[in-house]
Every structure is written in structure tokens, then in C-alpha cells.
Amino acid sequence: MVAGEILLAEGRLETGWWGPAAAAAPTLVLLHQGLGSLGLWRDIPARLAAATGCGVFAWSRLGYGRSDPVRLPRPFDYLRQEAQSVLPRVLEAIGLQQGVLVGHSDGGSIAAIHGGTVEDPRRRGIAVLAPHFFTEAAGLAAVAETRARYEQGDLRARLARHHRHPDIAFHGWCDTWLHPDFPAFFDLRPDIAGLRVPVLAIQGEADPYGSPAQLELLARQAAGPVQVMLLPGIGHDPLLEAPETVLPALRAFTDRLFAVR
């Protein structure tokens, strides 16, 4: 990994790059989950670069990892702000030529919002893993269980190994999703209706945070082609839980778009 940073008006982002530079090959832009960070991708970026022949770029969003903190509470539209304000500036900063957004969980929602609402011809497709487009009672219950593990178990100590400000990372995510007014606010159907680029959508059937109904909605609402993969026995992190399935799927997806290998 080549470590780096991006300086925005809001603060500093920690970044990492694997494989070819943006001028030499297409770039896969990784968008992490609600408690994720640059480091929590583990060896996935290197494996993606090797499998696809693409460059891979990832960063910790503000409030996560070693990036600068944010002020809490987060606004309900924090995912749209990331997709429509922060992400375009990050793509400019890295000199993106052409690429694919690869988003996990919250990152998948950000990728879908960007794909459906921001005009950018460099974005040739998006891949979403366990994304959220609306709230579900079971998913909110899983968030509440995670809060209990944070307050009463070892989750805070584990997150502190990966986040400089673990309380900001955790409460910025948890407190927003569990706010009683958030379910009525959070509806990404208007955003994904504008998706015209090819989409690869992957969901674990055992995901406690979201059901296959999330991908069913995406397939109905998106204006462009959507390939749906449901993985039996897999939970919320298909890339880490089933890399032997997901990495080849991402390789086939990028091959169709770019034929880089």
C-alpha cells in the first residue's frame, strides 16, 4: 500500500493506494461501512488489485480511522453529503480517469446516491455490498444489539485499535440510525432511480442489518442493469466472509466494463 492523505476544508483524510496509478489503469474506489476504516479493509484492496488489474483506492471518511474527527450528532443526510459533496472532491484529488465505486453497507448507500444523482462520466459502474436504501425493523434491532456490545462488551476496545476517535465513529453511526425520526427520513428510492450505469449488488442472506428486500428494491428502481447475487449463509461482510465468491464476481464485473486483464 502507498499511504497518503487528502486535505479538505473539513479536515484531513487518511488514504491508501494499491496497484496501478489512475493514469495507467481503471480505479476501484472503496467506500467503507458505518464502522469501517481504511485499515479495516484488511488485505482486500491488495487482493482486488491483483485479481482485477485495476488500481484500488480507499480512505477513512471523516470521523473514522486516522482521519480527522467530525462534530456530533451527524445530520440525517450524512450519506448524501458524503456522496454529493465529499466524494466528488476525493475523486478529483486522486485524478480519477475511469473507475468503479465499490461500497460496503453505508459505503454502498453512498455509492448508489453518487451514481444516481451526480453526473460523472468517469464512473463506469458501481458495486454495492450489503447496502441500505431504507430502514428495516430487524436491521434497527441489530444496530441496537451492537450498541449494547459497545456499551457493555469489548466492541469499543476492538474499534479503538482502528479508530483514533472510536466514540465519534460509533455514535456518529449508531445514534443516527437509532434516532426515532430517522426511519421516516431515510428513503433512497429517488436517488437510485437515477442509476443508469451497470450495478453489481451482493447481499448475504444471513445479514442481520438488511434483508434481500434491499436489493429487490434496487433492481426495481434503478434505470440501468442490475446484477443481484444473494449468498446463502453469509452475513454483513461478503468480501471478508466469502472472498472466494465475491472477488471473482468483482473481477468479472470489471472485465465486462474495462477488459483490463
Side-chain angles (χ1 to χ4, degrees):
M1 180 187 78
V2 177
E5 65 178 18
I6 293 174
L7 299 178
L8 302 179
E10 300 92 328
R12 171 191 170 275
L13 304 174
E14 68 161 346
T15 69
W17 195 290
W18 295 257
T27 305
L28 306 184
V29 178
L30 303 188
L31 296 144
H32 64 71
Q33 64 170 308
L35 294 179
S37 69
L38 173 66
L40 280 167
W41 287 108
R42 305 186 191 280
D43 66 343
I44 289 298
R47 296 176 70 179
L48 267 175
T52 64
C54 296
V56 177
F57 172 78
W59 79 100
S60 296
R61 297 196 297 275
L62 291 169
Y64 295 98
R66 307 303 173 201
S67 293
D68 283 351
V70 295
R71 183 174 297 177
L72 299 182
R74 285 189 182 272
F76 284 175
D77 66 346
Y78 75 102
L79 296 176
R80 285 197 179 93
Q81 290 185 16
E82 289 286 344
Q84 297 172 342
S85 177
V86 179
L87 179 55
R89 286 179 284 156
V90 170
L91 299 182
E92 286 301 314
I94 67 173
L96 181 72
Q97 303 294 306
Q98 57 177 340
V100 172
L101 304 180
V102 181
H104 174 217
S105 191
D106 272 19
S109 304
I110 293 168
I113 295 168
H114 187 275
T117 67
V118 178
E119 290 294 330
D120 190 337
R122 300 171 301 177
R123 184 194 57 235
R124 299 282 297 278
I126 71 169
V128 293
L129 300 99
H132 308 290
F133 305 118
F134 59 95
T135 63
E136 298 179 87
L140 295 176
V143 176
E145 291 175 6
T146 303
R147 180 176 61 185
R149 290 193 288 117
Y150 190 82
E151 294 173 347
Q152 303 165 19
D154 66 347
L155 181 57
R156 187 185 187 281
R158 288 164 46 206
L159 289 178
R161 296 197 291 266
H162 302 281
H163 300 286
R164 183 172 292 157
H165 305 280
D167 291 336
I168 290 176
F170 184 80
H171 288 291
W173 166 76
C174 175
D175 294 358
T176 304
W177 280 84
L178 293 182
H179 192 287
D181 296 333
F182 187 67
F185 174 88
F186 186 66
D187 179 1
L188 299 190
R189 283 176 294 182
D191 305 89
I192 62 179
L195 268 172
R196 291 176 173 80
V197 295
V199 178
L200 172 64
I202 301 175
Q203 180 92 28
E205 291 186 345
D207 185 351
Y209 295 102
S211 76
Q214 301 286 338
L215 301 194
E216 293 167 4
L217 175 69
L218 175 63
R220 290 196 308 270
Q221 291 287 124
V226 178
Q227 176 189 354
V228 171
M229 293 178 61
L230 294 174
L231 306 182
I234 299 301
H236 189 58
D237 201 336
L239 258 173
L240 288 179
E241 296 176 52
E244 70 287 348
T245 300
V246 178
L247 287 173
L250 287 167
R251 180 181 63 203
F253 185 62
T254 58
D255 279 354
R256 290 196 299 272
L257 295 174
F258 304 116
V260 295
R261 292 186 305 122

mmCIF file of all heavy atoms in Angstrom, residues 14 22 27 40 68 77 143 157 176 178 181 197 232-233 243-244:
data_model
loop_
_atom_site.group_PDB
_atom_site.id
_atom_site.type_symbol
_atom_site.label_atom_id
_atom_site.label_comp_id
_atom_site.label_asym_id
_atom_site.label_seq_id
_atom_site.Cartn_x
_atom_site.Cartn_y
_atom_site.Cartn_z
ATOM 1 N N GLU A 14 -7.085 10.126 5.790
ATOM 2 C CA GLU A 14 -6.018 9.157 5.537
ATOM 3 C C GLU A 14 -6.408 8.316 4.328
ATOM 4 O O GLU A 14 -7.576 7.936 4.168
ATOM 5 C CB GLU A 14 -5.755 8.272 6.748
ATOM 6 C CG GLU A 14 -6.870 7.315 7.109
ATOM 7 C CD GLU A 14 -6.411 6.167 8.003
ATOM 8 O OE1 GLU A 14 -5.199 5.944 8.151
ATOM 9 O OE2 GLU A 14 -7.302 5.486 8.558
ATOM 10 N N ALA A 22 -3.842 5.961 -11.386
ATOM 11 C CA ALA A 22 -5.082 6.285 -12.093
ATOM 12 C C ALA A 22 -4.859 6.484 -13.586
ATOM 13 O O ALA A 22 -5.745 6.198 -14.397
ATOM 14 C CB ALA A 22 -5.719 7.527 -11.485
ATOM 15 N N THR A 27 -9.650 2.503 -11.878
ATOM 16 C CA THR A 27 -9.500 2.533 -10.425
ATOM 17 C C THR A 27 -10.780 2.047 -9.754
ATOM 18 O O THR A 27 -11.878 2.478 -10.111
ATOM 19 C CB THR A 27 -9.206 3.966 -9.932
ATOM 20 O OG1 THR A 27 -8.052 4.470 -10.613
ATOM 21 C CG2 THR A 27 -8.960 3.994 -8.438
ATOM 22 N N LEU A 40 -9.553 -1.368 8.144
ATOM 23 C CA LEU A 40 -10.470 -2.489 8.306
ATOM 24 C C LEU A 40 -10.812 -3.184 6.987
ATOM 25 O O LEU A 40 -11.507 -4.204 6.996
ATOM 26 C CB LEU A 40 -11.735 -2.028 9.037
ATOM 27 C CG LEU A 40 -11.556 -1.915 10.555
ATOM 28 C CD1 LEU A 40 -12.711 -1.175 11.195
ATOM 29 C CD2 LEU A 40 -11.391 -3.298 11.176
ATOM 30 N N ASP A 68 -9.461 12.996 10.365
ATOM 31 C CA ASP A 68 -9.874 13.967 11.369
ATOM 32 C C ASP A 68 -11.292 13.685 11.858
ATOM 33 O O ASP A 68 -12.105 13.098 11.136
ATOM 34 C CB ASP A 68 -9.785 15.374 10.795
ATOM 35 C CG ASP A 68 -8.353 15.899 10.744
ATOM 36 O OD1 ASP A 68 -7.454 15.238 11.312
ATOM 37 O OD2 ASP A 68 -8.123 16.966 10.141
ATOM 38 N N ASP A 77 -28.876 13.462 6.804
ATOM 39 C CA ASP A 77 -28.493 13.317 5.399
ATOM 40 C C ASP A 77 -26.991 13.134 5.228
ATOM 41 O O ASP A 77 -26.442 13.464 4.176
ATOM 42 C CB ASP A 77 -28.986 14.514 4.578
ATOM 43 C CG ASP A 77 -28.309 15.823 4.964
ATOM 44 O OD1 ASP A 77 -27.653 15.872 6.035
ATOM 45 O OD2 ASP A 77 -28.421 16.795 4.190
ATOM 46 N N VAL A 143 -28.739 -3.018 15.053
ATOM 47 C CA VAL A 143 -27.964 -1.848 15.472
ATOM 48 C C VAL A 143 -28.047 -1.682 16.983
ATOM 49 O O VAL A 143 -27.047 -1.404 17.657
ATOM 50 C CB VAL A 143 -28.448 -0.578 14.747
ATOM 51 C CG1 VAL A 143 -27.702 0.649 15.268
ATOM 52 C CG2 VAL A 143 -28.259 -0.702 13.239
ATOM 53 N N ALA A 157 -13.247 -1.419 22.743
ATOM 54 C CA ALA A 157 -11.803 -1.683 22.750
ATOM 55 C C ALA A 157 -11.329 -2.190 21.389
ATOM 56 O O ALA A 157 -10.243 -1.818 20.928
ATOM 57 C CB ALA A 157 -11.470 -2.697 23.845
ATOM 58 N N THR A 176 -27.393 7.982 14.907
ATOM 59 C CA THR A 176 -28.183 8.444 13.766
ATOM 60 C C THR A 176 -29.214 7.392 13.382
ATOM 61 O O THR A 176 -30.407 7.690 13.239
ATOM 62 C CB THR A 176 -27.271 8.754 12.575
ATOM 63 O OG1 THR A 176 -26.292 9.710 12.973
ATOM 64 C CG2 THR A 176 -28.068 9.302 11.401
ATOM 65 N N LEU A 178 -30.461 4.969 15.106
ATOM 66 C CA LEU A 178 -31.431 4.661 16.143
ATOM 67 C C LEU A 178 -32.252 5.874 16.579
ATOM 68 O O LEU A 178 -33.098 5.744 17.462
ATOM 69 C CB LEU A 178 -30.726 4.048 17.366
ATOM 70 C CG LEU A 178 -30.119 2.662 17.137
ATOM 71 C CD1 LEU A 178 -29.507 2.131 18.420
ATOM 72 C CD2 LEU A 178 -31.147 1.676 16.592
ATOM 73 N N ASP A 181 -36.647 9.493 14.594
ATOM 74 C CA ASP A 181 -37.123 10.152 13.382
ATOM 75 C C ASP A 181 -36.391 9.694 12.122
ATOM 76 O O ASP A 181 -36.787 10.073 11.017
ATOM 77 C CB ASP A 181 -36.978 11.675 13.514
ATOM 78 C CG ASP A 181 -37.855 12.255 14.612
ATOM 79 O OD1 ASP A 181 -38.900 11.649 14.912
ATOM 80 O OD2 ASP A 181 -37.474 13.299 15.177
ATOM 81 N N VAL A 197 -25.756 3.462 -14.817
ATOM 82 C CA VAL A 197 -24.575 2.645 -15.070
ATOM 83 C C VAL A 197 -24.832 1.225 -14.579
ATOM 84 O O VAL A 197 -25.715 0.987 -13.744
ATOM 85 C CB VAL A 197 -23.345 3.236 -14.357
ATOM 86 C CG1 VAL A 197 -22.992 4.601 -14.931
ATOM 87 C CG2 VAL A 197 -23.550 3.302 -12.856
ATOM 88 N N PRO A 232 -26.000 -17.520 0.280
ATOM 89 C CA PRO A 232 -26.522 -18.262 1.436
ATOM 90 C C PRO A 232 -25.485 -18.358 2.549
ATOM 91 O O PRO A 232 -24.288 -18.588 2.300
ATOM 92 C CB PRO A 232 -26.830 -19.648 0.851
ATOM 93 C CG PRO A 232 -26.955 -19.425 -0.629
ATOM 94 C CD PRO A 232 -25.995 -18.317 -0.957
ATOM 95 N N GLY A 233 -25.949 -18.176 3.785
ATOM 96 C CA GLY A 233 -25.097 -18.356 4.946
ATOM 97 C C GLY A 233 -24.115 -17.236 5.216
ATOM 98 O O GLY A 233 -23.342 -17.316 6.178
ATOM 99 N N PRO A 243 -14.672 -14.271 0.232
ATOM 100 C CA PRO A 243 -13.826 -13.696 -0.832
ATOM 101 C C PRO A 243 -13.696 -14.606 -2.046
ATOM 102 O O PRO A 243 -13.527 -14.126 -3.175
ATOM 103 C CB PRO A 243 -12.479 -13.480 -0.138
ATOM 104 C CG PRO A 243 -12.478 -14.448 1.012
ATOM 105 C CD PRO A 243 -13.901 -14.503 1.467
ATOM 106 N N GLU A 244 -13.811 -15.913 -1.819
ATOM 107 C CA GLU A 244 -13.678 -16.849 -2.938
ATOM 108 C C GLU A 244 -14.829 -16.710 -3.926
ATOM 109 O O GLU A 244 -14.712 -17.128 -5.093
ATOM 110 C CB GLU A 244 -13.591 -18.283 -2.422
ATOM 111 C CG GLU A 244 -14.871 -18.843 -1.825
ATOM 112 C CD GLU A 244 -15.251 -18.289 -0.457
ATOM 113 O OE1 GLU A 244 -14.393 -17.621 0.165
ATOM 114 O OE2 GLU A 244 -16.394 -18.539 -0.015
#
